[in-house]
């Protein structure tokens, strides 16, 4: 209650400030916009974890973020426009304090004018064949490309972007025709001329652009004003965001459990539909190509023509992505890893909620049994009277594995984005005696130590925790505690994601109840996590004791690569005592590192990661047809040696624990999905090396382990 009062007391001041204009009718958008900017400014200034001065530097950040949010591909604004906008570059902070939206109205007004001009630009450009003999190129890393100097340069940018789109479609058509010509029942197949392919490609690009701008025209003022508001919230940190009322309804759209679909959670960012999370056990997860951070550009139903969803509202896009069990959807995706464009085919299915729960398997290696526990998220659900939570389920799972006489446990937290802090602390308590697990710090306060108070240890044997670059938040807290107590060997990518902050979703009307219309919600960063050793998990994450090469090894992927992410810092160490669990910790770690270095499969993965990094950095494309084709073939050829990169098989046999067999028989647990999971474990090179480590660990005396 103390914290809430500190945040709410200044409400009177806010009310008085807003009263200056709320005597006017509030049923128009301008009035609502002023209310929103004032209340959000107040909430962030008084409640955000890191107080931020609304000064010239902040103003410049909002200026840049809003303009790039409206025009990420440099299609609309010119340097002449920016010259006009720049008079507000260092005044936005002052305007925000007065609920003055002159900057927003100038930029948004110009943007709407440019949108109207865009149809004329692309229509005229696509009405004539392109000259593909001309030697020219385009850089698609628009963050590094300057805005065009004037209208003529802007139109030339349009020409180059449309030419690249056409060129890509010509190449796709050529590949398709080449494949069709090789079919036995297609002996009389006649290839199209380049002129025919070029005309068809331009027609397809024109259709795609028309559909895009039809959807853009359907967007309302609220959609664009949200972009401005999020430019303000991002000035505080990348996780603080504004959600309009209907966006809140769609927030964290769950395509698993209740409906038939692909098993992914999607988010809208600007005009793009991003994959926020791939649901463990779902069709997309099993297919394996779709990943968090990918952008879905087009959606096709089986063999039908793909529909461009750029600019489409999230709920409309989802209608095309989800569908009946057994039907195929083909997603054209821009990969987060290397910005490549890939078509991913997924067969829709019903994603069962049970697939997101803790599950375990037993494997025998060199005559000894080991347990593998997969924890997709730290879940808890108080809305259900008989709610399950990951801590209770983990405790039961360990009890069942102990009955199998396993001699070590491997906990798999890869791709686990976090969840309930409470369950993370309780799960940590299953492996240590009572003691601190994490420190939580609110704005302006000293860190509060949160501890496991149960002296019981559920598992006192060898323990390995498997993580990757997508393990975040609560996963990092658990892994950090196990590392700080010397209780487990942490294995995986070089470091975890690095999200050491906590957000709360607050209804904006709560802070200005006089306004009767729904103002939406603010997701705001309010806390920061610290390890018991004092270091924050923010940005740094948790470094693995044993780092293994992965696709992400050289990529910009994590909190540390986000603009405006809060900094790493440290607080005082909590009062805890490490446990000297293992006789041979250093030897086992060093031997594993040596094995990884000498392993040809890991060497290939490392080379693959370097290849992906090179592809991510190579953002310039030739617009000369011959050169474009030559470069595409060279890239394809250079990638051929990586076709077998993850085709590993340990030949180990993973089975369900005996306790699960009755659940499989009664269909409470899906038998086919368990079999598929067990097969994937046998082909998982990271699980295999983790089991090697687990089999070598030797425990010290139990009394030494539990002593604090």
């Amino acid at each position: 209650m103390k914290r809430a009062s500190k945040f709410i007391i200044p409400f009177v001041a806010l009310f008085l400030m807003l009263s200056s204009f709320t005597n006017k009718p509030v049923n128009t958008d301008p009035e609502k916009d002023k209310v929103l900017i004032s209340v959000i400014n107040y909430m962030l200034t008084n409640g955000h974890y890191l107080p931020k001065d609304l000064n010239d530097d902040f103003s410049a950040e909002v200026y840049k973020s809003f303009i790039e949010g409206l025009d990420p591909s440099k299609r609309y604004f010119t340097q002449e426009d920016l010259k006009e906008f720049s008079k507000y570059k260092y005044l936005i902070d002052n305007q925000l304090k007065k609920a003055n939206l002159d900057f927003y109205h100038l930029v948004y007004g110009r943007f709407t004018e440019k949108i109207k001009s865009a149809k004329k630009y692309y229509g005229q450009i696509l009405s004539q064949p392109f000259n593909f003999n001309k030697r020219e190129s385009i850089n698609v890393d628009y963050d590094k490309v300057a805005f065009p100097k004037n209208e003529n340069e802007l139109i030339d940018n349009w020409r180059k972007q449309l030419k690249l789109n056409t060129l890509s479609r010509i190449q796709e058509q050529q590949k398709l025709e080449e494949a069709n010509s090789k079919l036995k029942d297609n002996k009389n197949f006649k290839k199209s001329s380049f002129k025919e392919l070029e005309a068809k490609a331009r027609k397809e690009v024109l259709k795609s652009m028309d559909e895009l701008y039809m959807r853009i025209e359907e967007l309302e003022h609220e959609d664009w004003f949200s972009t401005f508001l999020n430019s303000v919230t991002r000035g505080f940190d990348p996780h603080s965001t504004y959600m309009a009322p209907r966006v809140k309804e769609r927030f964290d759209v769950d395509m698993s459990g209740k409906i038939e679909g692909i098993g992914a959670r999607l988010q809208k960012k600007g005009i793009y539909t991003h994959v926020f999370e791939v649901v463990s056990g779902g069709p997309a997860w099993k297919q394996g190509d779709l990943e968090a951070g990918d952008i879905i550009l087009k959606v096709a139903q089986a063999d039908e023509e793909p529909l461009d969803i750029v600019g489409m509202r999230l709920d409309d896009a989802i209608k095309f992505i989800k569908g009946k069990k057994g039907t195929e959807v083909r997603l054209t995706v821009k990969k987060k890893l290397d910005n490549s464009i890939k078509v991913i085919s997924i067969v829709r299915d019903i994603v069962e909620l049970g697939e997101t729960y803790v599950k375990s398997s037993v494997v025998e290696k060199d005559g000894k049994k080991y347990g593998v526990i997969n924890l997709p998220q730290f879940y808890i659900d108080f809305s259900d009277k008989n709610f399950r939570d990951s801590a209770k389920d983990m405790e039961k799972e360990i009890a069942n594995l102990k009955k199998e006489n396993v001699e070590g446990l491997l906990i798999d937290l890869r791709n686990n984005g976090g969840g309930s802090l409470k369950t993370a602390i309780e799960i940590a308590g299953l492996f240590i005696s009572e003691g601190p697990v994490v420190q939580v710090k609110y704005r302006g306060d000293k860190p509060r130590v949160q501890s496991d108070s149960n002296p019981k240890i559920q598992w006192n044997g060898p323990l390995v925790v498997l993580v990757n670059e997508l393990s975040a938040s609560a996963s990092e807290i658990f892994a950090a505690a196990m590392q700080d107590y010397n209780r487990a060997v942490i294995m995986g990518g070089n470091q975890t994601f690095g999200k050491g902050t906590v957000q709360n979703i607050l209804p904006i009307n709560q802070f200005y109840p006089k306004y009767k219309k729904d103002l939406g919600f603010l997701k705001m960063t309010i806390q920061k996590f610290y390890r018991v050793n004092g270091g924050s998990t923010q940005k740094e994450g948790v470094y693995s004791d044993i780092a293994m090469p992965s696709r992400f090894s050289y990529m910009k992927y994590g909190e540390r690569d986000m603009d405006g992410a809060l900094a790493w810092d440290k607080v005082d160490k909590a009062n805890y005592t490490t446990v000297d669990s293992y006789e041979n910790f250093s030897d086992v770690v060093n031997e594993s590192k040596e094995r990884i270095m000498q392993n040809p499969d890991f060497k290939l993965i490392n080379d693959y990661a370097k290849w992906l990094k090179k592809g991510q950095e190579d953002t310039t494309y030739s617009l000369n047809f011959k050169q474009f084709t030559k470069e595409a073939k060279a890239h394809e050829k250079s990638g051929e040696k990586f076709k077998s990169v993850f085709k590993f098989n340990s030949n180990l046999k993973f089975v369900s624990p005996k306790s699960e067999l009755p659940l499989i028989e009664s269909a409470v647990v899906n038998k086919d999905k368990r079999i598929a999971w067990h097969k994937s474990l046998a082909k998982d090179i990271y699980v295999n090396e983790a089991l090697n480590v687990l089999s070598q660990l030797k425990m010290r005396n139990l009394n030494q382990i539990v002593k604090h």
Side-chain angles (χ1 to χ4, degrees), residues 385-408:
K385 291 180 181 178
N386 301 309
F387 72 87
R388 297 180 63 168
D389 75 62
S390 50
K392 291 184 177 69
D393 287 352
M394 178 71 82
E395 187 174 10
K396 291 176 186 174
E397 216 65 48
I398 294 172
N400 290 332
L401 290 170
K402 285 166 74 173
K403 292 175 185 176
E404 303 272 346
N405 297 316
V406 298
E407 299 191 35

PDB file of all heavy atoms in Angstrom, residues 385-408:
ATOM      1  N   LYS A 385     -10.055 -22.339  -9.979  1.00  0.00           N
ATOM      2  CA  LYS A 385     -10.118 -22.832  -8.597  1.00  0.00           C
ATOM      3  C   LYS A 385      -9.116 -23.957  -8.358  1.00  0.00           C
ATOM      4  O   LYS A 385      -8.545 -24.088  -7.282  1.00  0.00           O
ATOM      5  CB  LYS A 385     -11.542 -23.318  -8.275  1.00  0.00           C
ATOM      6  CG  LYS A 385     -12.572 -22.198  -8.202  1.00  0.00           C
ATOM      7  CD  LYS A 385     -13.945 -22.749  -7.871  1.00  0.00           C
ATOM      8  CE  LYS A 385     -14.979 -21.621  -7.813  1.00  0.00           C
ATOM      9  NZ  LYS A 385     -16.334 -22.138  -7.532  1.00  0.00           N
ATOM     10  N   ASN A 386      -8.935 -24.791  -9.348  1.00  0.00           N
ATOM     11  CA  ASN A 386      -7.985 -25.895  -9.227  1.00  0.00           C
ATOM     12  C   ASN A 386      -6.707 -25.571 -10.001  1.00  0.00           C
ATOM     13  O   ASN A 386      -6.204 -26.380 -10.766  1.00  0.00           O
ATOM     14  CB  ASN A 386      -8.620 -27.186  -9.768  1.00  0.00           C
ATOM     15  CG  ASN A 386      -9.892 -27.543  -9.025  1.00  0.00           C
ATOM     16  OD1 ASN A 386      -9.911 -27.584  -7.803  1.00  0.00           O
ATOM     17  ND2 ASN A 386     -10.966 -27.778  -9.772  1.00  0.00           N
ATOM     18  N   PHE A 387      -6.229 -24.323  -9.805  1.00  0.00           N
ATOM     19  CA  PHE A 387      -5.123 -23.854 -10.637  1.00  0.00           C
ATOM     20  C   PHE A 387      -3.862 -24.698 -10.438  1.00  0.00           C
ATOM     21  O   PHE A 387      -3.583 -25.196  -9.359  1.00  0.00           O
ATOM     22  CB  PHE A 387      -4.833 -22.376 -10.362  1.00  0.00           C
ATOM     23  CG  PHE A 387      -4.184 -22.085  -9.034  1.00  0.00           C
ATOM     24  CD1 PHE A 387      -2.806 -22.125  -8.913  1.00  0.00           C
ATOM     25  CD2 PHE A 387      -4.942 -21.754  -7.931  1.00  0.00           C
ATOM     26  CE1 PHE A 387      -2.197 -21.845  -7.702  1.00  0.00           C
ATOM     27  CE2 PHE A 387      -4.338 -21.476  -6.721  1.00  0.00           C
ATOM     28  CZ  PHE A 387      -2.966 -21.516  -6.599  1.00  0.00           C
ATOM     29  N   ARG A 388      -3.141 -24.813 -11.549  1.00  0.00           N
ATOM     30  CA  ARG A 388      -1.844 -25.463 -11.515  1.00  0.00           C
ATOM     31  C   ARG A 388      -0.780 -24.378 -11.467  1.00  0.00           C
ATOM     32  O   ARG A 388      -0.989 -23.282 -11.962  1.00  0.00           O
ATOM     33  CB  ARG A 388      -1.634 -26.311 -12.773  1.00  0.00           C
ATOM     34  CG  ARG A 388      -2.612 -27.444 -12.912  1.00  0.00           C
ATOM     35  CD  ARG A 388      -2.349 -28.231 -14.173  1.00  0.00           C
ATOM     36  NE  ARG A 388      -1.029 -28.870 -14.152  1.00  0.00           N
ATOM     37  CZ  ARG A 388      -0.645 -29.799 -15.030  1.00  0.00           C
ATOM     38  NH1 ARG A 388      -1.453 -30.178 -15.993  1.00  0.00           N
ATOM     39  NH2 ARG A 388       0.557 -30.332 -14.954  1.00  0.00           N
ATOM     40  N   ASP A 389       0.336 -24.706 -10.861  1.00  0.00           N
ATOM     41  CA  ASP A 389       1.466 -23.795 -10.994  1.00  0.00           C
ATOM     42  C   ASP A 389       2.726 -24.616 -11.195  1.00  0.00           C
ATOM     43  O   ASP A 389       2.807 -25.782 -10.813  1.00  0.00           O
ATOM     44  CB  ASP A 389       1.571 -22.814  -9.822  1.00  0.00           C
ATOM     45  CG  ASP A 389       2.091 -23.428  -8.545  1.00  0.00           C
ATOM     46  OD1 ASP A 389       3.239 -23.909  -8.550  1.00  0.00           O
ATOM     47  OD2 ASP A 389       1.368 -23.404  -7.536  1.00  0.00           O
ATOM     48  N   SER A 390       3.707 -23.983 -11.837  1.00  0.00           N
ATOM     49  CA  SER A 390       4.896 -24.705 -12.266  1.00  0.00           C
ATOM     50  C   SER A 390       5.711 -25.247 -11.092  1.00  0.00           C
ATOM     51  O   SER A 390       6.369 -26.275 -11.218  1.00  0.00           O
ATOM     52  CB  SER A 390       5.763 -23.799 -13.140  1.00  0.00           C
ATOM     53  OG  SER A 390       5.974 -22.556 -12.528  1.00  0.00           O
ATOM     54  N   ALA A 391       5.674 -24.576  -9.941  1.00  0.00           N
ATOM     55  CA  ALA A 391       6.440 -25.042  -8.788  1.00  0.00           C
ATOM     56  C   ALA A 391       5.887 -26.360  -8.252  1.00  0.00           C
ATOM     57  O   ALA A 391       6.639 -27.316  -7.991  1.00  0.00           O
ATOM     58  CB  ALA A 391       6.443 -23.980  -7.696  1.00  0.00           C
ATOM     59  N   LYS A 392       4.552 -26.420  -8.077  1.00  0.00           N
ATOM     60  CA  LYS A 392       3.944 -27.663  -7.586  1.00  0.00           C
ATOM     61  C   LYS A 392       4.152 -28.790  -8.595  1.00  0.00           C
ATOM     62  O   LYS A 392       4.434 -29.938  -8.224  1.00  0.00           O
ATOM     63  CB  LYS A 392       2.445 -27.448  -7.333  1.00  0.00           C
ATOM     64  CG  LYS A 392       2.116 -26.536  -6.162  1.00  0.00           C
ATOM     65  CD  LYS A 392       0.608 -26.475  -5.934  1.00  0.00           C
ATOM     66  CE  LYS A 392       0.248 -25.634  -4.730  1.00  0.00           C
ATOM     67  NZ  LYS A 392       0.523 -24.196  -4.941  1.00  0.00           N
ATOM     68  N   ASP A 393       3.986 -28.468  -9.879  1.00  0.00           N
ATOM     69  CA  ASP A 393       4.165 -29.493 -10.911  1.00  0.00           C
ATOM     70  C   ASP A 393       5.615 -29.972 -10.972  1.00  0.00           C
ATOM     71  O   ASP A 393       5.877 -31.166 -11.164  1.00  0.00           O
ATOM     72  CB  ASP A 393       3.750 -28.937 -12.281  1.00  0.00           C
ATOM     73  CG  ASP A 393       2.239 -28.808 -12.416  1.00  0.00           C
ATOM     74  OD1 ASP A 393       1.524 -29.285 -11.520  1.00  0.00           O
ATOM     75  OD2 ASP A 393       1.783 -28.224 -13.411  1.00  0.00           O
ATOM     76  N   MET A 394       6.558 -29.056 -10.809  1.00  0.00           N
ATOM     77  CA  MET A 394       7.972 -29.427 -10.822  1.00  0.00           C
ATOM     78  C   MET A 394       8.296 -30.350  -9.645  1.00  0.00           C
ATOM     79  O   MET A 394       9.017 -31.347  -9.793  1.00  0.00           O
ATOM     80  CB  MET A 394       8.838 -28.171 -10.762  1.00  0.00           C
ATOM     81  CG  MET A 394      10.333 -28.438 -10.721  1.00  0.00           C
ATOM     82  SD  MET A 394      11.019 -29.052 -12.269  1.00  0.00           S
ATOM     83  CE  MET A 394      11.216 -27.523 -13.165  1.00  0.00           C
ATOM     84  N   GLU A 395       7.743 -30.035  -8.487  1.00  0.00           N
ATOM     85  CA  GLU A 395       7.982 -30.861  -7.301  1.00  0.00           C
ATOM     86  C   GLU A 395       7.468 -32.284  -7.522  1.00  0.00           C
ATOM     87  O   GLU A 395       8.144 -33.274  -7.189  1.00  0.00           O
ATOM     88  CB  GLU A 395       7.300 -30.229  -6.081  1.00  0.00           C
ATOM     89  CG  GLU A 395       7.622 -30.931  -4.768  1.00  0.00           C
ATOM     90  CD  GLU A 395       7.056 -30.200  -3.566  1.00  0.00           C
ATOM     91  OE1 GLU A 395       6.250 -29.262  -3.758  1.00  0.00           O
ATOM     92  OE2 GLU A 395       7.409 -30.567  -2.434  1.00  0.00           O
ATOM     93  N   LYS A 396       6.267 -32.400  -8.114  1.00  0.00           N
ATOM     94  CA  LYS A 396       5.704 -33.732  -8.403  1.00  0.00           C
ATOM     95  C   LYS A 396       6.543 -34.468  -9.439  1.00  0.00           C
ATOM     96  O   LYS A 396       6.766 -35.680  -9.341  1.00  0.00           O
ATOM     97  CB  LYS A 396       4.266 -33.590  -8.920  1.00  0.00           C
ATOM     98  CG  LYS A 396       3.265 -33.123  -7.881  1.00  0.00           C
ATOM     99  CD  LYS A 396       1.889 -32.917  -8.510  1.00  0.00           C
ATOM    100  CE  LYS A 396       0.907 -32.319  -7.518  1.00  0.00           C
ATOM    101  NZ  LYS A 396      -0.391 -31.994  -8.165  1.00  0.00           N
ATOM    102  N   GLU A 397       7.001 -33.724 -10.445  1.00  0.00           N
ATOM    103  CA  GLU A 397       7.781 -34.341 -11.517  1.00  0.00           C
ATOM    104  C   GLU A 397       9.082 -34.916 -10.975  1.00  0.00           C
ATOM    105  O   GLU A 397       9.505 -36.014 -11.347  1.00  0.00           O
ATOM    106  CB  GLU A 397       8.068 -33.302 -12.609  1.00  0.00           C
ATOM    107  CG  GLU A 397       8.070 -33.846 -14.022  1.00  0.00           C
ATOM    108  CD  GLU A 397       6.721 -34.354 -14.481  1.00  0.00           C
ATOM    109  OE1 GLU A 397       5.713 -33.666 -14.308  1.00  0.00           O
ATOM    110  OE2 GLU A 397       6.691 -35.488 -15.024  1.00  0.00           O
ATOM    111  N   ILE A 398       9.725 -34.168 -10.077  1.00  0.00           N
ATOM    112  CA  ILE A 398      10.975 -34.656  -9.471  1.00  0.00           C
ATOM    113  C   ILE A 398      10.700 -35.880  -8.611  1.00  0.00           C
ATOM    114  O   ILE A 398      11.470 -36.860  -8.630  1.00  0.00           O
ATOM    115  CB  ILE A 398      11.639 -33.534  -8.637  1.00  0.00           C
ATOM    116  CG1 ILE A 398      12.085 -32.390  -9.551  1.00  0.00           C
ATOM    117  CG2 ILE A 398      12.838 -34.074  -7.863  1.00  0.00           C
ATOM    118  CD1 ILE A 398      12.565 -31.151  -8.803  1.00  0.00           C
ATOM    119  N   ALA A 399       9.591 -35.851  -7.865  1.00  0.00           N
ATOM    120  CA  ALA A 399       9.235 -37.009  -7.033  1.00  0.00           C
ATOM    121  C   ALA A 399       9.047 -38.252  -7.901  1.00  0.00           C
ATOM    122  O   ALA A 399       9.496 -39.355  -7.545  1.00  0.00           O
ATOM    123  CB  ALA A 399       7.957 -36.709  -6.245  1.00  0.00           C
ATOM    124  N   ASN A 400       8.388 -38.097  -9.039  1.00  0.00           N
ATOM    125  CA  ASN A 400       8.179 -39.230  -9.946  1.00  0.00           C
ATOM    126  C   ASN A 400       9.494 -39.733 -10.535  1.00  0.00           C
ATOM    127  O   ASN A 400       9.691 -40.940 -10.706  1.00  0.00           O
ATOM    128  CB  ASN A 400       7.224 -38.828 -11.075  1.00  0.00           C
ATOM    129  CG  ASN A 400       5.806 -38.623 -10.579  1.00  0.00           C
ATOM    130  OD1 ASN A 400       5.384 -39.233  -9.595  1.00  0.00           O
ATOM    131  ND2 ASN A 400       5.062 -37.755 -11.241  1.00  0.00           N
ATOM    132  N   LEU A 401      10.400 -38.817 -10.845  1.00  0.00           N
ATOM    133  CA  LEU A 401      11.687 -39.228 -11.408  1.00  0.00           C
ATOM    134  C   LEU A 401      12.568 -39.906 -10.362  1.00  0.00           C
ATOM    135  O   LEU A 401      13.356 -40.799 -10.688  1.00  0.00           O
ATOM    136  CB  LEU A 401      12.406 -38.003 -11.999  1.00  0.00           C
ATOM    137  CG  LEU A 401      11.779 -37.427 -13.273  1.00  0.00           C
ATOM    138  CD1 LEU A 401      12.411 -36.090 -13.641  1.00  0.00           C
ATOM    139  CD2 LEU A 401      11.915 -38.405 -14.437  1.00  0.00           C
ATOM    140  N   LYS A 402      12.428 -39.485  -9.123  1.00  0.00           N
ATOM    141  CA  LYS A 402      13.191 -40.149  -8.045  1.00  0.00           C
ATOM    142  C   LYS A 402      12.765 -41.609  -7.903  1.00  0.00           C
ATOM    143  O   LYS A 402      13.580 -42.479  -7.614  1.00  0.00           O
ATOM    144  CB  LYS A 402      12.984 -39.392  -6.728  1.00  0.00           C
ATOM    145  CG  LYS A 402      13.775 -38.076  -6.668  1.00  0.00           C
ATOM    146  CD  LYS A 402      13.309 -37.175  -5.539  1.00  0.00           C
ATOM    147  CE  LYS A 402      13.761 -37.652  -4.183  1.00  0.00           C
ATOM    148  NZ  LYS A 402      13.440 -36.657  -3.130  1.00  0.00           N
ATOM    149  N   LYS A 403      11.479 -41.865  -8.153  1.00  0.00           N
ATOM    150  CA  LYS A 403      10.988 -43.251  -8.115  1.00  0.00           C
ATOM    151  C   LYS A 403      11.606 -44.084  -9.238  1.00  0.00           C
ATOM    152  O   LYS A 403      11.656 -45.313  -9.147  1.00  0.00           O
ATOM    153  CB  LYS A 403       9.463 -43.273  -8.239  1.00  0.00           C
ATOM    154  CG  LYS A 403       8.737 -42.677  -7.034  1.00  0.00           C
ATOM    155  CD  LYS A 403       7.233 -42.623  -7.271  1.00  0.00           C
ATOM    156  CE  LYS A 403       6.517 -41.923  -6.126  1.00  0.00           C
ATOM    157  NZ  LYS A 403       5.052 -41.782  -6.393  1.00  0.00           N
ATOM    158  N   GLU A 404      12.049 -43.411 -10.300  1.00  0.00           N
ATOM    159  CA  GLU A 404      12.701 -44.101 -11.417  1.00  0.00           C
ATOM    160  C   GLU A 404      14.190 -44.327 -11.154  1.00  0.00           C
ATOM    161  O   GLU A 404      14.901 -44.879 -11.986  1.00  0.00           O
ATOM    162  CB  GLU A 404      12.557 -43.258 -12.698  1.00  0.00           C
ATOM    163  CG  GLU A 404      11.138 -42.935 -13.097  1.00  0.00           C
ATOM    164  CD  GLU A 404      10.514 -44.006 -13.968  1.00  0.00           C
ATOM    165  OE1 GLU A 404      11.259 -44.856 -14.483  1.00  0.00           O
ATOM    166  OE2 GLU A 404       9.280 -43.989 -14.128  1.00  0.00           O
ATOM    167  N   ASN A 405      14.654 -43.843  -9.979  1.00  0.00           N
ATOM    168  CA  ASN A 405      16.065 -43.985  -9.580  1.00  0.00           C
ATOM    169  C   ASN A 405      17.018 -43.265 -10.530  1.00  0.00           C
ATOM    170  O   ASN A 405      18.102 -43.768 -10.850  1.00  0.00           O
ATOM    171  CB  ASN A 405      16.460 -45.466  -9.469  1.00  0.00           C
ATOM    172  CG  ASN A 405      15.669 -46.185  -8.391  1.00  0.00           C
ATOM    173  OD1 ASN A 405      15.487 -45.658  -7.290  1.00  0.00           O
ATOM    174  ND2 ASN A 405      15.165 -47.370  -8.713  1.00  0.00           N
ATOM    175  N   VAL A 406      16.604 -42.068 -10.988  1.00  0.00           N
ATOM    176  CA  VAL A 406      17.512 -41.295 -11.836  1.00  0.00           C
ATOM    177  C   VAL A 406      18.668 -40.781 -10.982  1.00  0.00           C
ATOM    178  O   VAL A 406      18.518 -40.524  -9.788  1.00  0.00           O
ATOM    179  CB  VAL A 406      16.785 -40.120 -12.531  1.00  0.00           C
ATOM    180  CG1 VAL A 406      15.684 -40.638 -13.443  1.00  0.00           C
ATOM    181  CG2 VAL A 406      16.232 -39.126 -11.516  1.00  0.00           C
ATOM    182  N   GLU A 407      19.833 -40.615 -11.618  1.00  0.00           N
ATOM    183  CA  GLU A 407      21.030 -40.201 -10.881  1.00  0.00           C
ATOM    184  C   GLU A 407      21.440 -38.758 -11.169  1.00  0.00           C
ATOM    185  O   GLU A 407      22.480 -38.294 -10.691  1.00  0.00           O
ATOM    186  CB  GLU A 407      22.179 -41.158 -11.197  1.00  0.00           C
ATOM    187  CG  GLU A 407      21.865 -42.592 -10.774  1.00  0.00           C
ATOM    188  CD  GLU A 407      23.081 -43.502 -10.840  1.00  0.00           C
ATOM    189  OE1 GLU A 407      24.197 -43.023 -10.564  1.00  0.00           O
ATOM    190  OE2 GLU A 407      22.909 -44.683 -11.169  1.00  0.00           O
ATOM    191  N   GLY A 408      20.639 -38.068 -11.954  1.00  0.00           N
ATOM    192  CA  GLY A 408      20.914 -36.671 -12.249  1.00  0.00           C
ATOM    193  C   GLY A 408      19.725 -36.050 -12.950  1.00  0.00           C
ATOM    194  O   GLY A 408      18.919 -36.763 -13.577  1.00  0.00           O
TER     195      GLY A 408
END
